[in-house]
Amino acid sequence: MRRVGIVSFAQLTSPRERRRNEVELVIPVVQEAVRASGIPKAEIGFTCSGSCDYLAGGPFSFVAGLDAVGAWPPIPESHVEADAAWALYEAWLVIRSGEADSALVYGFGKPSLGDVDEILGLQADPYTVAPLWPSATDLAAMAASAAIAAGVVDERQMAEAAAAARRAGLANPHAVVGEDVTAEELLARPVTRPPLRDADVAPVTDGSAAVVLAAEDLARRVCDRPVWITGIAHRIDTPSPGARDLTDVASARSAAAAAGVGDAPVDVAELSARHSHEVVLLRRALGVGSGTVVNPSGGALVADPVMSTGLIRIGEAAAAVRAGDAGRAVAHAASGPALQQNLVCVLEAD
Amino acid sequence: MTATSEGPAPEAPLVEHHVLEYPGGYTRSLGPALSAFFTGLRDGRLVGARTADGRVVVPPAEHDPRTAAPLGEWVEVGPAGTVTAWTWVANPKPGKHHLSGPFGFALVRPDGADTALVGVVDAGVPEVMSVGMRVAPRWARVRTGTIHDLEAWVPLADGAAPAPAPPNEAPEVGEEPVTRIVCPIRLEYEINAGIAPSRYLRGLAQRRIIGQRARDSDHVYVPPRGSDPMTGAPTEIEVEVGQTGTVTTFCITNIAGLSELAPPIPYVTAQVLLDGAATPWFGLVTGCDPTEVRMGMRVRAVWSEQAAPDARTLVGFEPTGEPDAPYEHWKDYA
């Protein structure tokens, strides 16, 4: 089957957007990604988006999002109620299968409108868990405590991951957090959500992202250095956090194996770790060692525009390959409580 | 692969409090496994499911999480258990968390089970919490078959026996299995209208109807959305459209109570193509008998007394008495 390349990427983040609505966050990234792709918008063969209506508390926000795309005459279009990395997966399948030669993928969300931590916690089992109202951070913090107790993660590793993210955030114009800080300094700060400190948790971030994909021939025509998706897979664990091993990320491990992460060295990995212990767990699950630069963008710990965070990991990893900073990169997206669902993508240039 | 720019210069955003709630809560049917679980909770027992390889899954599942084989052997576990993971909630949320003081969230593996339950631990202070700590249920005195029947886990001293569940003080509790639960969900938001809709709403406060013109055509979109829905291109040119228009299609509602905001039945809602606009907009038609409303009917805006940036400032439309617009004028919208 033919290869699929990433030919353009755009992102937008805002710590607490009060002027633009969700659709108005999508307009600039779609405009930019389509322009930079070199493919006329009318010729893009498929459109797929990722968003979550509960972020804004209104129905059919994904339909409103199409106002930012332009859907007349009618276009082939789809949507996932998930991070747009899963929309990219669907678009990749559509191009691989020959249904389209190109695709626009975008994600958007405004978590700042409500209590995103509470909303994402409602992804838990509605019978026995959600009525207790654990937040997404509560569930992640519990996973961190299990990992620490098992000796697979320690607080210093978490602080080092958080400090590295915050330092990287200073150089990333899309980061909403940036700080010249050491692990020692973070360890001296209070534990707020045991065992997590504030810096161990992703900041509330509004935003959007868009990627244009093209089949091999078209990608070569429009792009001087397309970045090929050479492996992509996603896996899911049981929704019951008490029925899986929270000291490992089995579904990320399985997705990484299916995507072929271990077939060759990885130069750069962009991981959707919303909590610092997840950086450590995901490194191990994906099998990326000390030779891999992890989250040069700072990752989700410095900008977490929910529903775009995973797509941005793919975009950032592709940008690193395209710029020649990495020969082979891995991007990871996550969904569900405590890394329940994981998508892994391998990116390479010629 | 570059950053994208900010939008045009700001006015103060229009923000409104928004509550997402299903009155009375969702009613969920339980199925055999969770029915056994919640019936057990009501009766002061913890119930799991035994798998073919002898593991015990709690809460019980209808199918083995590993093999998907159907499960149907319910077994009692606990009631004491061991914390396998925990965190601490220093500031409980009233109306959400059922304990009023600080508490722990934990995964608790009941004795005899191979999986853990999410639960709350009434431990007073976080220093008491640890992975490996022993806990026992504190049962609610009034138990109706919900997860809150196990009110909290409490620390269990070494060698101590867990306290049995007290007699159920719930009125009218029978022996019948629990087959459904009610789940109240309430989420609150501070919604902001966005740049283009805010311009529209501020226009309404001045009894003006403001749209935006497409960049690539003479289409004017009302209400404006900041982009051309045909092309996706940004729209920045504001245009005030007329306060008269044409009914393109309509609906007569004869059912009461569809919305708290609905007027008394029968009432008419219509799509109205305002003069100068390319897209029809939705509104009530008042000032005539519902049976008189028709496609092509000419109408004018009806304003409320309020001068607020609020969609309800434009109450609806009433007939102008002009001759109907010709079919050619509205056929593309019918």
Side-chain angles (χ1 to χ4, degrees), chain B residues 166-181:
Chain B
N168 194 350
E169 295 175 10
E172 297 171 28
V173 165
E175 301 293 309
E176 294 299 305
V178 178
T179 57
R180 58 172 58 182
I181 58 171

Side-chain angles (χ1 to χ4, degrees), chain A residues 5 17 27 29 34-35 38 79-80 85 93 109 122 126 143 151 171 178 185 195 232 246 256-257 275 299 330:
Chain A
E17 177 67 38
I27 296 166
V29 294
V34 171
R35 184 201 61 75
H79 173 261
V80 296
L93 284 176
L122 292 176
E185 288 166 331
I232 186 167
L246 295 172
H275 308 90
V330 166

Side-chain angles (χ1 to χ4, degrees), chain A residues 269-273 278-279 282-283 286 288 294-295 299-300 313 332:
Chain A
E270 282 281 346
L271 309 177
S272 288
E278 295 170 353
V279 177
L282 286 166
R283 280 190 84 123
L286 269 57
V288 296
V294 171
N295 287 345
R313 304 281 73 72
H332 160 267

